Amino acid sequence: MHQLFKQKTGLGKRLLLLCIFITVALCANVTIMLSSSIHVRELTNTIISKEIDTVFTNSQLTRELSTLISNTSYYVTTFHLQPQKYRVNAQNIIKKLDNISQKELEPEVNTRILEFRTILDNLFDQCNRINNQLSTISQIDSSINKLLSKLEKNISQKIIQLVLNGEESLAYEQIGALLPSYRQSLIEVSFTLKGFQPTEDSTELPENIENLLTNLHLRMRTLLASDKEISAFGQSLLHEIEKYIKANSLLWEQHHQLAIILKTLHQEQQKTMRTTDDIDSST
């Protein structure tokens, strides 16, 4: 009887230990499953959060680039009208683009932005060259008008002196009669030059200006046949007209270079926006 009780007790202990082992195993399994579930949920949340941040960043980047491109297009068509204001606006665009490039971007986007910035630098430099050339032309025009004013005053004094002395003044009166036509030609050149549009390709406009200046140069040679003093004025005026012709030629060469840069810029704009769109599609 004692032996039978002892056997039953040993069996009960083994069953109890087995139950405890199973319970512990189940608890461990549940703990592992819960831990894995929490880790998966956290990982999923992290991935979703990153995806949302990426989508938001790309969307914001697209808006910022679109604004910069729009502003650049506007400034390029008006830079010659307000040179000082244009320089400030150009600097602001470069600063904003630099700020964008310093953000955490996809490598291909960053590459496109850096290339876009390089072309913008070239574009703004070329616009400044054209503004400087327009300023040079304006100075030449002003110099010619000042010379004509001095010549007009000189001729008037000679005519007065000749009349007071009872001498013939017809030759000087004829020269004086030419001056208004010189001024009129300069006005026509200035008026034609106002038709200058940076983004429009024109072959007729530069040719018209050059023809006006060449014709004026030919007519001013008449001054060389007068006395020494007026002949000196004539030489100075001819020199300024020659400078005007060269300056006009250089202006249109720079205009041609601007057209090339604008074409390159347009291509780079499309590449940059296409890259950001591709990234948006893949996120």
Side-chain angles (χ1 to χ4, degrees):
M1 186 72 178
H2 178 72
Q3 186 67 28
L4 179 62
F5 177 78
K6 188 174 181 182
Q7 289 177 352
K8 288 182 177 180
T9 302
L11 180 60
K13 286 181 179 180
R14 286 197 294 273
L15 289 173
L16 179 61
L17 288 172
L18 180 61
C19 288
I20 292 172
F21 175 77
I22 292 172
T23 300
V24 171
L26 286 172
C27 289
N29 190 41
V30 169
T31 301
I32 292 171
M33 290 178 65
L34 285 173
S35 177
S36 298
S37 176
I38 292 172
H39 177 71
V40 169
R41 187 166 63 250
E42 289 178 348
L43 183 60
T44 302
N45 289 338
T46 300
I47 293 173
I48 292 174
S49 177
K50 286 183 177 180
E51 291 295 327
I52 291 174
D53 288 343
T54 300
V55 170
F56 176 77
T57 300
N58 289 338
S59 177
Q60 186 180 25
L61 172 63
T62 301
R63 288 197 302 272
E64 290 177 349
L65 286 175
S66 296
T67 300
L68 284 178
I69 289 171
S70 177
N71 290 341
T72 300
S73 298
Y74 172 73
Y75 296 144
V76 167
T77 60
T78 59
F79 71 88
H80 61 301
L81 302 177
Q82 295 178 306
Q84 296 299 330
K85 186 177 181 181
Y86 158 75
R87 289 190 183 94
V88 174
N89 291 331
Q91 290 172 358
N92 289 337
I93 286 178
I94 292 298
K95 287 179 181 178
K96 289 178 181 178
L97 195 59
D98 285 342
N99 290 337
I100 291 175
S101 66
Q102 290 172 4
K103 297 179 181 179
E104 292 185 8
L105 304 172
E106 297 291 335
E108 56 267 38
V109 174
N110 196 49
T111 298
R112 292 262 73 88
I113 289 176
L114 291 176
E115 291 179 358
F116 183 47
R117 188 196 189 285
T118 299
I119 297 173
L120 273 184
D121 279 334
N122 293 336
L123 172 67
F124 293 149
D125 286 345
Q126 189 62 25
C127 289
N128 285 329
R129 291 188 192 98
I130 291 176
N131 276 337
N132 291 337
Q133 194 61 24
L134 287 170
S135 177
T136 297
I137 289 174
S138 178
Q139 290 171 9
I140 294 172
D141 184 85
S142 177
S143 177
I144 293 172
N145 276 292
K146 287 179 180 178
L147 280 171
L148 287 174
S149 294
K150 290 180 180 180
L151 176 58
E152 188 175 37
K153 183 178 179 180
N154 183 276
I155 291 173
S156 295
Q157 290 174 344
K158 288 180 181 295
I159 291 173
I160 292 172
Q161 190 61 45
L162 288 170
V163 170
L164 290 175
N165 294 337
E167 298 178 23
E168 180 60 51
S169 61
L170 181 60
Y172 291 105
E173 290 174 7
Q174 289 176 340
I175 294 175
L178 296 175
L179 302 188
S181 67
Y182 296 163
R183 291 187 185 277
Q184 181 60 34
S185 293
L186 285 174
I187 292 172
E188 289 179 25
V189 171
S190 296
F191 182 78
T192 305
L193 195 56
K194 287 186 181 298
F196 172 78
Q197 295 295 331
T199 57
E200 293 182 7
D201 188 17
S202 174
T203 56
E204 183 178 351
L205 199 61
E207 288 178 1
N208 289 344
I209 294 173
E210 185 172 354
N211 289 338
L212 285 168
L213 290 171
T214 301
N215 180 267
L216 179 58
H217 185 275
L218 182 63
R219 287 187 285 121
M220 280 185 171
R221 293 185 64 84
T222 303
L223 299 173
L224 301 179
S226 187
D227 64 39
K228 185 176 180 180
E229 194 171 7
I230 293 179
S231 178
F233 274 108
Q235 289 174 350
S236 297
L237 285 166
L238 291 173
H239 177 67
E240 290 299 318
I241 295 297
E242 289 164 5
K243 285 170 58 178
Y244 208 147
I245 293 172
K246 290 179 181 178
N248 177 66
S249 178
L250 182 56
L251 172 66
W252 293 100
E253 287 178 14
Q254 292 173 343
H255 177 268
H256 178 67
Q257 290 299 318
L258 178 65
I260 294 174
I261 296 173
L262 283 173
K263 183 178 180 180
T264 305
L265 177 67
H266 179 67
Q267 293 172 345
E268 194 59 40
Q269 286 174 350
Q270 291 182 321
K271 289 179 183 177
T272 302
M273 298 307 295
R274 194 181 303 122
T275 300
T276 58
D277 289 342
D278 290 343
I279 292 176
D280 284 341
S281 301
S282 63
T283 54

